Amino acid sequence: MAVSETVKSIEGIILDVDYLGAGDEVFIRLFIKGADRKAYEVLDTGFKPYFYFVPNRHMNDEEILGIRAQDNMTFIKATELVREDRQILGKPVNAVKVFVKSPSNVPKLAGAMLRYGECYEYDIPFAKRYVLDTGLFPMMPYEIKIMEKNGKFELKSIKKMDKKLDIQPNLICFDIEVYNPLAAPRIDVDPVIMISYILSSDGKTKSGVLTFKKIDKPYVEIVKDEAALLRRFIEIIKENEIDIITGYNSANFDIKYMLERARRLKIDFDISRFDGYTKLERHGLVERVKCSGRVHIDMYLVVKFIAIVGAAEHMLKLNSYTLKNVYEAISKNKKVTVEKKEIWKLWDGSREELESLAEYNLNDSEALLEVYSTFIPIMIELSRTTGDMPTDVAVSTSGQLVEFTLMRYSHNFNELIPNKPNDEEIARRVTNPIEGAYVKTPDPGIYDNLAVFDFRGLYPSIIISHNIDPSALCTDCTNYYLSPTGAKFDKDRKSIIPSILKLLIEQRTDVKRAYKKNPNNIELGARSQALKIVSNSFYGYLGYARSRWYSRDCAGSVTAYGRQYIKETIAAAEEKGFQVIYSDTDSIVMLLGSQKKEDTLAFMKGVNSGLPELMELELEDFYTRGVFVGKKTDKESRGAKKKYALIAESGRIKIRGFELVRRDWSWVARETQRQVLEAILKEGSKEKAAEIVKEVVRRLKEGKYPIKDLVINTQLRKGIDSYDSKSPELGAAKKAVQKGLKTRDEVEHAVIGYVITKHGNSISEKAELQEFAVDYDPDYYINHQVLPATMKILKELDFQEDELRGAGKQNKL
């Protein structure tokens, strides 16, 4: 039979890359979203797996080809060798590129070759190896020439395009509800009872709720049973050619639950588009969903990552990252809610209760779409910045993003990618910590007329300015930067970390300039954030114990240079007559005293004139008043690190380190502290600040606060039987489990919201989970929440606790 072959050219973006095949027949597979709105599965049959071998003595090709690895009843050997002159962290090596038939053969043959030398790049997954070698970037426009052979597409060529393509991947946001008569669903018996979705496909939107009980709502589609429910969800994904599937905690719960329910129902649950199947994979400490031809993104992991790196600090100062909390923070709208433990009652309840459950389920998907639309641009730009696939970026740490970026560019510098450290090496690194930043703690008190300066990107600029890189470390070089630690960095060597970091910073400068002209451009704003996240993570990666490019000399030199520059700046300020009251890492806070703003700016200009290129001291703002609190030690009371509040001339308030930005304090404590700070900063009234506390104490004694204002949130990081000592959150969790109100799965490793009640002897005995608390202990909240949170401030104004409790008198001021 003649083979039908047709060559065609398409324009599109790469959604994902994996590989197909078994044994010796292995093909790279690219998933393309075309500008014609079609999805393509394109095979690259020409890419072969390989790794690098550096023998510890001279070995000819015949000797190397003679090395075998046994795999069951067969032997694995190299199919081809290519000799290359490479470097490992700046040291020249004669490397051998060793090709094998199958990706699974790479680590096996590398293991056999370790007897004769060192092996490198044998732990890089085959699809990542392809992306690194070809220089392809996901979500970027390409012109792709493909040959069609009997319905299959083979890659002929792929070329990056200069023009932008208006391609919007088809999206579905979904959420499931599960029957739960015992509060926590039992995966072996409790069915999925509803699935809501909202989708966008080829410019059209659609939403609905799937269920198998009659609900008279226009958005509800009724199916026969749970099996039909799961099948219909898959049909909707396939009918609408969905490219991106997103949920909230969907890898850890929704999809995992549906996969297991389908297995027990003996049906196939596969949301893949092409050959393959839906499965869960471990990626570090988290799970991800792989479904060939589609991208799954768990927005819970995305939101947590963005919160951790501080990319949305103004939106995500939250006690817990529930969908409700995140949605309400970004939209300012209230989300439809029901008590999770009440879901089964609504399902078994009246027509109105069933309708309310369907409305709640649909609102989850609607809220998820808002969260997705807000944060996914940053993840897409992180993918474009690092070159890693969206499925990987969505489950990565900032260190993993840096590592992939360095892996992508390492061969441009003729460097082999260093190996991951073994457990023994990791332990050695952990036990040999690096000295951190310089901190000048403040004298506690209230200050007026301040200026705050910080170094723009201090650590990145130090790395670039002093060529800090493991490959640049030298002992016998003559032209070098001498670190304060004594380490030498070769000035004449072009090194990967400073070079790539400089490239990222220069890109961000250009993007910020363009964004300033067009502040409504979401893509530019997201790209600026992505570049900032990656560039600010390089120092941490150098000192991370599991890093491929770990270097104690490098990381220690960065902080040493940081201490040097900040101390020199403090000395320069004091020489000009300013009083520096606080400094931490890359910033200083100083009192202007009798000096004018012009003098302050002149001082900044003088400092900058003596700094290396790319390093710059910037004025953050002028502040009219600031509060710095004390920290008790065994010997004295001194200023606390990162614990202050400032008010700018514009009225903007900056708060660092106080309980109002922490979840392990109750709302009443955090809100009281906020009001006290505002009274001092905005009105300069210590009397009003004291009266605020007295009023809160009075209302607590009278039982005037609702339970929700007294909730304290803390995460249980281990199993409930793994703790040596008792704590309130542990006591509350254990009590709920023992009474059958909660299951272990619900409380272990979860954020626990609890209230200290009046019932019990110890604090641990008095603690009840939020939903089961019926009263609160006012004395606990006065003495262990409100007063500790506010006395840190008010003691600087000579107030004593008894005065604020309503007993005793204020000291003479």
Side-chain angles (χ1 to χ4, degrees), residues 211-230:
T211 189
F212 48 89
K213 272 193 177 181
K214 182 172 175 55
I215 301 175
D216 190 19
K217 287 288 184 181
Y219 54 80
V220 174
E221 180 181 345
I222 301 167
V223 297
K224 180 182 176 182
D225 52 22
E226 183 188 11
L229 180 74
L230 298 176

PDB file of all heavy atoms in Angstrom, residues 211-230:
ATOM      1  N   THR A 211     -24.789  16.507  37.292  1.00  0.00           N
ATOM      2  CA  THR A 211     -25.198  15.783  38.494  1.00  0.00           C
ATOM      3  C   THR A 211     -26.180  14.689  38.112  1.00  0.00           C
ATOM      4  O   THR A 211     -26.649  14.629  36.972  1.00  0.00           O
ATOM      5  CB  THR A 211     -25.814  16.722  39.545  1.00  0.00           C
ATOM      6  OG1 THR A 211     -25.998  16.014  40.763  1.00  0.00           O
ATOM      7  CG2 THR A 211     -27.142  17.296  39.066  1.00  0.00           C
ATOM      8  N   PHE A 212     -26.497  13.799  39.058  1.00  0.00           N
ATOM      9  CA  PHE A 212     -27.450  12.729  38.757  1.00  0.00           C
ATOM     10  C   PHE A 212     -28.671  12.782  39.678  1.00  0.00           C
ATOM     11  O   PHE A 212     -29.327  11.769  39.924  1.00  0.00           O
ATOM     12  CB  PHE A 212     -26.787  11.348  38.775  1.00  0.00           C
ATOM     13  CG  PHE A 212     -25.919  11.071  39.976  1.00  0.00           C
ATOM     14  CD1 PHE A 212     -26.438  10.515  41.135  1.00  0.00           C
ATOM     15  CD2 PHE A 212     -24.562  11.348  39.929  1.00  0.00           C
ATOM     16  CE1 PHE A 212     -25.637  10.245  42.220  1.00  0.00           C
ATOM     17  CE2 PHE A 212     -23.745  11.081  41.015  1.00  0.00           C
ATOM     18  CZ  PHE A 212     -24.282  10.525  42.170  1.00  0.00           C
ATOM     19  N   LYS A 213     -28.996  13.964  40.197  1.00  0.00           N
ATOM     20  CA  LYS A 213     -30.273  14.211  40.860  1.00  0.00           C
ATOM     21  C   LYS A 213     -30.979  15.339  40.130  1.00  0.00           C
ATOM     22  O   LYS A 213     -30.326  16.244  39.615  1.00  0.00           O
ATOM     23  CB  LYS A 213     -30.069  14.579  42.330  1.00  0.00           C
ATOM     24  CG  LYS A 213     -30.006  13.402  43.270  1.00  0.00           C
ATOM     25  CD  LYS A 213     -30.130  13.832  44.719  1.00  0.00           C
ATOM     26  CE  LYS A 213     -30.140  12.618  45.651  1.00  0.00           C
ATOM     27  NZ  LYS A 213     -30.290  13.016  47.072  1.00  0.00           N
ATOM     28  N   LYS A 214     -32.291  15.296  40.114  1.00  0.00           N
ATOM     29  CA  LYS A 214     -33.059  16.305  39.388  1.00  0.00           C
ATOM     30  C   LYS A 214     -32.969  17.644  40.107  1.00  0.00           C
ATOM     31  O   LYS A 214     -33.343  17.769  41.278  1.00  0.00           O
ATOM     32  CB  LYS A 214     -34.522  15.878  39.249  1.00  0.00           C
ATOM     33  CG  LYS A 214     -35.360  16.872  38.463  1.00  0.00           C
ATOM     34  CD  LYS A 214     -36.741  16.346  38.168  1.00  0.00           C
ATOM     35  CE  LYS A 214     -37.605  17.408  37.499  1.00  0.00           C
ATOM     36  NZ  LYS A 214     -36.994  17.971  36.288  1.00  0.00           N
ATOM     37  N   ILE A 215     -32.441  18.632  39.406  1.00  0.00           N
ATOM     38  CA  ILE A 215     -32.355  20.003  39.915  1.00  0.00           C
ATOM     39  C   ILE A 215     -32.864  20.910  38.809  1.00  0.00           C
ATOM     40  O   ILE A 215     -32.338  20.901  37.692  1.00  0.00           O
ATOM     41  CB  ILE A 215     -30.915  20.373  40.300  1.00  0.00           C
ATOM     42  CG1 ILE A 215     -30.388  19.420  41.384  1.00  0.00           C
ATOM     43  CG2 ILE A 215     -30.838  21.821  40.784  1.00  0.00           C
ATOM     44  CD1 ILE A 215     -28.933  19.638  41.740  1.00  0.00           C
ATOM     45  N   ASP A 216     -33.882  21.665  39.111  1.00  0.00           N
ATOM     46  CA  ASP A 216     -34.555  22.481  38.087  1.00  0.00           C
ATOM     47  C   ASP A 216     -33.870  23.840  37.937  1.00  0.00           C
ATOM     48  O   ASP A 216     -34.392  24.877  38.353  1.00  0.00           O
ATOM     49  CB  ASP A 216     -36.034  22.651  38.445  1.00  0.00           C
ATOM     50  CG  ASP A 216     -36.829  23.273  37.295  1.00  0.00           C
ATOM     51  OD1 ASP A 216     -36.328  23.218  36.158  1.00  0.00           O
ATOM     52  OD2 ASP A 216     -37.932  23.801  37.554  1.00  0.00           O
ATOM     53  N   LYS A 217     -32.657  23.796  37.371  1.00  0.00           N
ATOM     54  CA  LYS A 217     -31.917  25.018  37.076  1.00  0.00           C
ATOM     55  C   LYS A 217     -31.416  24.933  35.636  1.00  0.00           C
ATOM     56  O   LYS A 217     -31.013  23.854  35.178  1.00  0.00           O
ATOM     57  CB  LYS A 217     -30.717  25.173  38.026  1.00  0.00           C
ATOM     58  CG  LYS A 217     -31.103  25.555  39.452  1.00  0.00           C
ATOM     59  CD  LYS A 217     -31.576  26.998  39.536  1.00  0.00           C
ATOM     60  CE  LYS A 217     -31.876  27.415  40.956  1.00  0.00           C
ATOM     61  NZ  LYS A 217     -32.356  28.817  41.028  1.00  0.00           N
ATOM     62  N   PRO A 218     -31.435  26.043  34.908  1.00  0.00           N
ATOM     63  CA  PRO A 218     -31.078  25.976  33.481  1.00  0.00           C
ATOM     64  C   PRO A 218     -29.637  25.546  33.218  1.00  0.00           C
ATOM     65  O   PRO A 218     -29.337  25.035  32.143  1.00  0.00           O
ATOM     66  CB  PRO A 218     -31.322  27.410  32.989  1.00  0.00           C
ATOM     67  CG  PRO A 218     -31.297  28.257  34.226  1.00  0.00           C
ATOM     68  CD  PRO A 218     -31.845  27.395  35.319  1.00  0.00           C
ATOM     69  N   TYR A 219     -28.736  25.741  34.185  1.00  0.00           N
ATOM     70  CA  TYR A 219     -27.335  25.393  33.970  1.00  0.00           C
ATOM     71  C   TYR A 219     -27.017  23.959  34.397  1.00  0.00           C
ATOM     72  O   TYR A 219     -25.881  23.508  34.286  1.00  0.00           O
ATOM     73  CB  TYR A 219     -26.416  26.367  34.717  1.00  0.00           C
ATOM     74  CG  TYR A 219     -26.720  26.507  36.205  1.00  0.00           C
ATOM     75  CD1 TYR A 219     -26.275  25.561  37.118  1.00  0.00           C
ATOM     76  CD2 TYR A 219     -27.445  27.601  36.683  1.00  0.00           C
ATOM     77  CE1 TYR A 219     -26.539  25.687  38.473  1.00  0.00           C
ATOM     78  CE2 TYR A 219     -27.726  27.731  38.038  1.00  0.00           C
ATOM     79  CZ  TYR A 219     -27.270  26.774  38.926  1.00  0.00           C
ATOM     80  OH  TYR A 219     -27.544  26.903  40.266  1.00  0.00           O
ATOM     81  N   VAL A 220     -28.005  23.224  34.896  1.00  0.00           N
ATOM     82  CA  VAL A 220     -27.775  21.866  35.391  1.00  0.00           C
ATOM     83  C   VAL A 220     -28.087  20.853  34.299  1.00  0.00           C
ATOM     84  O   VAL A 220     -29.134  20.897  33.665  1.00  0.00           O
ATOM     85  CB  VAL A 220     -28.618  21.575  36.644  1.00  0.00           C
ATOM     86  CG1 VAL A 220     -28.478  20.108  37.055  1.00  0.00           C
ATOM     87  CG2 VAL A 220     -28.198  22.484  37.799  1.00  0.00           C
ATOM     88  N   GLU A 221     -27.146  19.919  34.085  1.00  0.00           N
ATOM     89  CA  GLU A 221     -27.339  18.803  33.168  1.00  0.00           C
ATOM     90  C   GLU A 221     -27.410  17.522  33.993  1.00  0.00           C
ATOM     91  O   GLU A 221     -26.500  17.232  34.766  1.00  0.00           O
ATOM     92  CB  GLU A 221     -26.193  18.723  32.162  1.00  0.00           C
ATOM     93  CG  GLU A 221     -26.329  17.578  31.177  1.00  0.00           C
ATOM     94  CD  GLU A 221     -25.163  17.492  30.205  1.00  0.00           C
ATOM     95  OE1 GLU A 221     -24.388  18.481  30.099  1.00  0.00           O
ATOM     96  OE2 GLU A 221     -25.008  16.431  29.552  1.00  0.00           O
ATOM     97  N   ILE A 222     -28.490  16.759  33.812  1.00  0.00           N
ATOM     98  CA  ILE A 222     -28.727  15.570  34.627  1.00  0.00           C
ATOM     99  C   ILE A 222     -28.311  14.319  33.853  1.00  0.00           C
ATOM    100  O   ILE A 222     -28.699  14.135  32.696  1.00  0.00           O
ATOM    101  CB  ILE A 222     -30.203  15.479  35.044  1.00  0.00           C
ATOM    102  CG1 ILE A 222     -30.594  16.739  35.832  1.00  0.00           C
ATOM    103  CG2 ILE A 222     -30.448  14.232  35.905  1.00  0.00           C
ATOM    104  CD1 ILE A 222     -32.074  16.919  36.020  1.00  0.00           C
ATOM    105  N   VAL A 223     -27.503  13.485  34.507  1.00  0.00           N
ATOM    106  CA  VAL A 223     -27.065  12.225  33.910  1.00  0.00           C
ATOM    107  C   VAL A 223     -27.575  11.065  34.779  1.00  0.00           C
ATOM    108  O   VAL A 223     -28.201  11.274  35.818  1.00  0.00           O
ATOM    109  CB  VAL A 223     -25.533  12.175  33.768  1.00  0.00           C
ATOM    110  CG1 VAL A 223     -25.042  13.262  32.829  1.00  0.00           C
ATOM    111  CG2 VAL A 223     -24.854  12.315  35.134  1.00  0.00           C
ATOM    112  N   LYS A 224     -27.295   9.827  34.335  1.00  0.00           N
ATOM    113  CA  LYS A 224     -27.879   8.657  34.977  1.00  0.00           C
ATOM    114  C   LYS A 224     -27.317   8.393  36.375  1.00  0.00           C
ATOM    115  O   LYS A 224     -28.049   8.176  37.335  1.00  0.00           O
ATOM    116  CB  LYS A 224     -27.672   7.429  34.084  1.00  0.00           C
ATOM    117  CG  LYS A 224     -28.243   6.144  34.649  1.00  0.00           C
ATOM    118  CD  LYS A 224     -27.937   4.965  33.722  1.00  0.00           C
ATOM    119  CE  LYS A 224     -28.425   3.652  34.326  1.00  0.00           C
ATOM    120  NZ  LYS A 224     -28.094   2.492  33.464  1.00  0.00           N
ATOM    121  N   ASP A 225     -25.980   8.372  36.492  1.00  0.00           N
ATOM    122  CA  ASP A 225     -25.341   7.981  37.750  1.00  0.00           C
ATOM    123  C   ASP A 225     -23.924   8.523  37.793  1.00  0.00           C
ATOM    124  O   ASP A 225     -23.510   9.299  36.921  1.00  0.00           O
ATOM    125  CB  ASP A 225     -25.341   6.458  37.918  1.00  0.00           C
ATOM    126  CG  ASP A 225     -24.755   5.737  36.703  1.00  0.00           C
ATOM    127  OD1 ASP A 225     -23.988   6.379  35.949  1.00  0.00           O
ATOM    128  OD2 ASP A 225     -25.070   4.545  36.492  1.00  0.00           O
ATOM    129  N   GLU A 226     -23.157   8.113  38.809  1.00  0.00           N
ATOM    130  CA  GLU A 226     -21.793   8.637  38.974  1.00  0.00           C
ATOM    131  C   GLU A 226     -20.912   8.288  37.786  1.00  0.00           C
ATOM    132  O   GLU A 226     -20.123   9.121  37.318  1.00  0.00           O
ATOM    133  CB  GLU A 226     -21.168   8.095  40.263  1.00  0.00           C
ATOM    134  CG  GLU A 226     -19.780   8.669  40.526  1.00  0.00           C
ATOM    135  CD  GLU A 226     -19.055   8.005  41.690  1.00  0.00           C
ATOM    136  OE1 GLU A 226     -19.518   6.957  42.171  1.00  0.00           O
ATOM    137  OE2 GLU A 226     -18.002   8.546  42.091  1.00  0.00           O
ATOM    138  N   ALA A 227     -21.017   7.069  37.286  1.00  0.00           N
ATOM    139  CA  ALA A 227     -20.210   6.668  36.134  1.00  0.00           C
ATOM    140  C   ALA A 227     -20.514   7.553  34.925  1.00  0.00           C
ATOM    141  O   ALA A 227     -19.604   8.006  34.225  1.00  0.00           O
ATOM    142  CB  ALA A 227     -20.463   5.204  35.796  1.00  0.00           C
ATOM    143  N   ALA A 228     -21.794   7.820  34.706  1.00  0.00           N
ATOM    144  CA  ALA A 228     -22.189   8.687  33.594  1.00  0.00           C
ATOM    145  C   ALA A 228     -21.707  10.121  33.825  1.00  0.00           C
ATOM    146  O   ALA A 228     -21.370  10.834  32.874  1.00  0.00           O
ATOM    147  CB  ALA A 228     -23.707   8.661  33.421  1.00  0.00           C
ATOM    148  N   LEU A 229     -21.656  10.518  35.078  1.00  0.00           N
ATOM    149  CA  LEU A 229     -21.172  11.859  35.437  1.00  0.00           C
ATOM    150  C   LEU A 229     -19.708  12.016  35.011  1.00  0.00           C
ATOM    151  O   LEU A 229     -19.331  13.019  34.371  1.00  0.00           O
ATOM    152  CB  LEU A 229     -21.306  12.045  36.954  1.00  0.00           C
ATOM    153  CG  LEU A 229     -20.858  13.373  37.558  1.00  0.00           C
ATOM    154  CD1 LEU A 229     -21.863  14.468  37.241  1.00  0.00           C
ATOM    155  CD2 LEU A 229     -20.687  13.248  39.067  1.00  0.00           C
ATOM    156  N   LEU A 230     -18.876  11.044  35.350  1.00  0.00           N
ATOM    157  CA  LEU A 230     -17.456  11.102  34.991  1.00  0.00           C
ATOM    158  C   LEU A 230     -17.268  11.044  33.479  1.00  0.00           C
ATOM    159  O   LEU A 230     -16.441  11.773  32.908  1.00  0.00           O
ATOM    160  CB  LEU A 230     -16.701   9.965  35.675  1.00  0.00           C
ATOM    161  CG  LEU A 230     -16.717   9.980  37.214  1.00  0.00           C
ATOM    162  CD1 LEU A 230     -16.026   8.743  37.768  1.00  0.00           C
ATOM    163  CD2 LEU A 230     -16.073  11.239  37.764  1.00  0.00           C
TER     164      LEU A 230
END
